[in-house]
Amino acid sequence: SSMRPFAATPMRGGHLRVSLEDPSGAKVRAAAFRCDGTALGAALADPRTRLHVAVRLKRDDWRGGDGVDVEIMDAAPAR
């Protein structure tokens, strides 16, 4: 299934926080690290694109939390 990126927000260090939406309308917040100035960063910043996105889930225990982070590893245009 393809995802549409929206609400992309730059973060310090060249990272990007982005929300992804699938065709059913389900949304997830994710981050792509060190993607500023790359093709990946440009694709994630364009809400007109549909992408196949490869992610990695990792535990988020920052500040004593117990959550899950979604890290975008790569993306390719959905055709």
Side-chain angles (χ1 to χ4, degrees), residues 16-55:
L16 188 66
R17 172 75 60 192
V18 63
S19 293
L20 301 170
E21 179 181 41
D22 76 5
S24 73
K27 297 176 179 75
V28 65
R29 286 184 44 94
F33 296 102
R34 296 169 299 283
C35 69
D36 187 35
T38 69
L40 175 60
L44 292 171
D46 184 355
R48 298 168 298 165
T49 62
R50 301 289 306 174
L51 301 168
H52 294 290
V53 181
V55 301

Side-chain angles (χ1 to χ4, degrees), residues 9 23 32 42 53 61 72:
T9 306
V53 181
D61 56 4
I72 298 170

